[in-house]
Amino acid sequence: MTGRALPERGAWRRPRAGPPPPPPQPPPPPRSPALPAVGPAMGLCLPCMGGAVKDVVETPDPEIKRRQLAEAAEKRQMEASSRGIKNVYSVEQKKKKQEEMEKRIAASGSGGEGGLRWQVG
């Protein structure tokens, strides 16, 4: 090295030339605690705004609502019971046959013997 001292870090940079920074903004005025902050669109949903009364949806009667909920629950149960079954009709037919067989056995059976006889010779 030649013995020259290195300049201090950042000393070779020149200050940027540009517009001066803007003056600081004054703080906003304090709000009243009784009045919440509302935007300009608040209050436009009142029925006095022309045709807004036509757009209001009335809630149904509790009995109608109860019936609709029961129908929806029944529909969900039917969908859940048939999920994963390709042919629902054949499954229902098999269930009916099984029930008929159980009824026949219960009606014709003589107690706990089951209708089978063993002969010991």
Side-chain angles (χ1 to χ4, degrees):
M1 293 195 79
T2 60
R4 271 201 283 176
L6 293 174
E8 202 172 307
R9 185 176 191 120
W12 60 85
R13 295 184 188 167
R14 284 186 253 155
R16 290 186 184 176
Q25 297 273 336
R31 289 190 177 148
S32 170
L35 297 174
V38 286
M42 293 297 292
L44 294 179
C45 59
L46 296 175
C48 63
M49 301 304 289
V53 176
K54 298 174 194 169
D55 297 337
V56 175
V57 177
E58 294 182 21
T59 57
D61 183 40
E63 184 61 33
I64 295 172
K65 182 80 170 177
R66 192 174 300 119
R67 189 179 75 235
Q68 289 174 344
L69 289 173
E71 289 172 358
E74 187 175 319
K75 183 180 176 184
R76 281 194 305 271
Q77 286 178 347
M78 291 297 290
E79 289 175 356
S81 66
S82 66
R83 184 171 291 141
I85 300 173
K86 291 182 180 179
N87 192 351
V88 178
Y89 180 75
S90 67
V91 173
E92 291 176 3
Q93 292 298 320
K94 288 179 183 178
K95 285 182 182 178
K96 286 180 183 178
K97 285 183 182 179
Q98 182 70 23
E99 290 173 1
E100 288 176 9
M101 289 291 287
E102 290 173 359
K103 287 179 184 177
R104 283 187 207 155
I105 291 173
S108 67
S110 59
E113 292 182 17
L116 297 176
R117 297 183 184 178
W118 291 87
Q119 291 182 352
V120 178

